[in-house]
Amino acid sequence: MELEPVIPFEPIRSNSIPEGSVWIHQIKWDGVRVLTYYDGFKCRLFNRKLNERTNQYPELLDVKSYCHSDSVILDGEIIALGSDGKPSFHEVMRRDGSGGWNEWYKQKRKCKSLT
């Protein structure tokens, strides 16, 4: 069974905060939304625009290490912390927009060796 990517729901702006037990609220971490598709054999990652991000985040591909399910679709946000320990959209975009984790890691090491 191969899971096909779906377009996820998007948050909407509102002038008021909904109240009641049927509503939940989440912190906006300032990261990148990624959906993880795992069919029991293969894992693929996609952003909200359905662009594949599997190569950018290889550490998330071993789904069995963090989820005990035969197949699953996970919807979450990937964040990167800046040097101040706070979420940094700039840092996560450096990795997300790069040629993948290896390229990001090489650039990160290169930058550190110059300082």
Side-chain angles (χ1 to χ4, degrees), residues 17-105:
I17 298 174
E19 295 182 24
S21 62
V22 297
W23 295 95
I24 61 169
H25 300 77
Q26 297 177 329
I27 294 173
K28 172 64 174 123
W29 287 104
D30 211 13
V32 174
R33 186 174 184 181
V34 170
L35 284 89
T36 302
Y37 296 84
Y38 177 67
D39 65 3
F41 303 100
K42 186 175 182 182
C43 179
R44 296 175 74 190
L45 309 174
F46 292 87
N47 67 12
R48 64 185 177 89
K49 294 182 179 179
L50 302 183
N51 295 317
E52 188 157 4
R53 290 296 183 251
T54 304
N55 292 333
Q56 277 79 356
Y57 305 101
E59 67 270 36
L60 299 178
L61 300 181
D62 184 14
V63 175
K64 289 290 188 183
S65 71
Y66 58 87
C67 181
H68 303 289
S69 181
D70 292 333
S71 66
V72 67
I73 298 174
L74 300 173
D75 182 358
E77 192 165 358
I78 294 176
I79 65 167
L81 302 179
S83 58
D84 60 359
K86 296 179 182 176
S88 168
F89 187 70
H90 173 74
E91 286 297 320
V92 77
M93 286 310 297
R94 285 180 57 201
R95 180 164 172 189
D96 188 76
S98 72
W101 188 86
N102 289 332
E103 189 61 35
W104 175 84
Y105 185 71

